[in-house]
Amino acid sequence: MATTMPLTPPDQHREPPPLLGGALWWALCAAAALGLAVCSSLGPHRVWGAAAALGYLAAALLAARGRSPRTAGAVAVTGAVLLPLLWLLAVDRAQLEVRVVARSAWLLLAEGTPYLQHPVVPEDFNPYLPGMAVFGLPEAVAGPGPLTDPRLWMGAAFLGALALALPAGARSAPLRWFAACPLVALPLAVGGVDLPVAGLMCLGLALAGRGRAAAAGAALGAAAALKWTAWPAIPVALALLAAASRSAGRPTDHGEGHRPADRAAARCGLVALLTAAARCGLVALLTAAALVLPAALRDPGAFRAHVVDFPLGLTDAVSSAASPLPGHLLATHLPGGRTLALLLLGVSALLLSLSLALRPPATPADAAVRLALGLLLAIAFMPASRFGYLVHPLVLVVWAAARQTPDQHPLLLRVRKQVSR
């Protein structure tokens, strides 16, 4: 009989790796925050940079003096998230995205669509799918205020979805390190629409890995109703379920799968998993359609202008999402560069689809890494993109690492095989 003995203490994965809990890491975070405070032209970003730099510096000093990673992490979260968030709420300052979400909710209640009919300047455009307006409904209904600010609800959705996507016994430490990371702490404080999307994608993959196909479809459908960037998560989750169905259909060791009873059981499991994959995809599409189609059909022209043409750089108004990534550089400096960037974007999508078909991910962590790679390529080649979008692949990769347990360690798997022999 195969037995396993943990090769590491049970709490190994409840604390961050030494680098993420060490003084050097917090010092690097402080330098990044200070650089943003000095170089950014956006007031909320400067406020965050100054407060976060102090918080990270304090965490670095505590770590250098031998204080526990838990204490240093708590100080970093306080300086990088709580203090700048409270200050910005008190003075009513936020990123432009927060005001766009609040306005979209007001328009949704007043006119049945979250999109202005005739947008002119970049600030008029709402490049998000209709589901994003949900986070602005508290402010649209109860009026502006610290408790109705959309960034609070977006942050709560992100942290809540991420907590549900992590193992039940080890959630507090990973959440603390997620929140302390500069790429996450910044949008938590100033407002970032990408966080709830990333959290729901992680939750959808986690539920798919647990075999809860309908719940996974609902989570991924909700994410797909927020931004286009969530749509690649649906085929990745289906590939994950399909990989499980392939495993169920394979014969077991020692020829046992050749017996009629074993073959029948394998066929039963294969049909059940294929049915689960179909249910996941159907629920995801129905959920997204229910949240997107009413507003899209209410004014198809405005919908296309806001969520298709504007993000792709096909309008006269230039998106502020103009970080010097390859797609933007091609579209800006090369004749026909926009077409080339879109072609590269399509090729990336095709390569991701082929990888899912030829070698589907075997675990939720594998699926998250595959999805992160696809999104990284998409962010690189989009004509209008920004560095902040990198929070998607970052959250997926870190979540994949955080949910690993000793049972999934490659060395332990080899020991298990040797003991079972």
Side-chain angles (χ1 to χ4, degrees):
M1 181 173 62
T3 59
T4 59
M5 293 295 293
L7 301 181
T8 54
D11 291 338
Q12 172 189 354
H13 297 277
R14 298 188 182 184
E15 292 297 342
L19 173 62
L20 297 185
L24 177 60
W25 166 252
W26 296 126
L28 291 174
C29 292
L34 184 61
L36 184 66
V38 173
C39 300
S40 178
S41 60
L42 302 176
H45 285 200
R46 292 198 299 270
V47 169
W48 177 85
L54 294 176
Y56 290 137
L57 183 59
L61 293 175
L62 290 173
R65 293 181 178 181
R67 296 296 182 90
S68 68
R70 182 189 298 270
T71 301
V75 170
V77 171
T78 301
V81 179
L82 296 180
L83 292 181
L85 174 61
L86 292 175
W87 174 259
L88 291 171
L89 286 173
V91 299
D92 193 24
R93 298 289 301 277
Q95 267 190 169
L96 175 62
E97 287 89 333
V98 176
R99 302 278 67 86
V100 170
V101 170
R103 184 188 65 206
S104 69
W106 182 85
L107 288 172
L108 182 64
L109 294 179
E111 302 180 12
T113 175
Y115 306 109
L116 289 172
Q117 190 172 11
H118 301 293
V120 179
V121 297
E123 291 76 12
D124 293 340
F125 284 89
N126 172 17
Y128 317 122
L129 291 172
M132 193 67 73
V134 170
F135 299 111
L137 289 178
E139 182 171 316
V141 172
L147 296 181
T148 61
D149 193 284
R151 85 190 91 174
L152 291 181
W153 299 95
M154 291 187 287
F158 166 68
L159 295 175
L162 202 59
L164 294 175
L166 290 165
R171 287 175 176 169
S172 60
L175 286 177
R176 185 168 63 250
W177 301 113
F178 268 110
C181 176
L183 275 176
V184 175
L186 173 62
L188 280 175
V190 304
V193 296
D194 295 295
L195 290 181
V197 180
L200 286 171
M201 287 193 294
C202 291
L203 178 58
L205 294 179
L207 292 171
R210 298 168 193 167
R212 300 177 57 185
L220 294 174
L226 300 179
K227 288 191 74 174
W228 290 119
T229 48
W231 282 82
I234 297 177
V236 172
L238 297 182
L240 175 61
L241 291 168
S245 68
R246 289 185 184 182
S247 299
R250 292 195 189 106
T252 56
D253 293 338
H254 308 298
E256 294 177 356
H258 295 290
R259 294 186 303 196
D262 293 321
R263 288 198 299 269
R267 284 196 299 270
C268 180
L270 178 62
V271 171
L273 285 168
L274 289 176
T275 303
R279 185 165 64 249
C280 175
L282 181 62
V283 171
L285 293 177
L286 289 177
T287 302
L291 295 173
V292 172
L293 284 181
L297 296 177
R298 177 73 173 78
D299 192 340
F303 177 82
R304 176 179 175 178
H306 283 265
V307 304
V308 178
D309 295 343
F310 181 67
L312 293 178
L314 302 178
T315 61
D316 293 334
V318 179
S319 172
S320 59
S323 296
L325 293 165
H328 174 70
L329 295 177
L330 288 173
T332 305
H333 302 291
L334 189 69
R338 179 174 284 108
T339 301
L340 179 57
L342 295 177
L343 179 62
L344 291 173
L345 187 62
V347 171
S348 301
L350 178 61
L351 291 177
L352 177 63
S353 301
L354 289 176
S355 75
L356 294 176
L358 298 176
R359 191 177 179 182
T363 66
D366 293 340
V369 173
R370 193 79 57 87
L371 177 59
L373 178 59
L375 290 175
L376 188 62
L377 292 173
I379 293 167
F381 294 128
M382 286 174 60
S385 186
R386 63 173 53 166
F387 289 122
Y389 296 165
L390 295 174
V391 72
H392 288 290
L394 170 73
V395 169
L396 286 164
V397 169
V398 177
W399 171 76
R403 73 184 309 277
Q404 296 296 316
T405 64
D407 291 336
Q408 296 170 311
H409 195 283
L411 179 59
L412 180 60
L413 294 178
R414 288 197 295 270
V415 170
R416 177 184 294 153
K417 290 179 181 178
Q418 294 173 358
V419 172
S420 63
R421 291 174 183 171

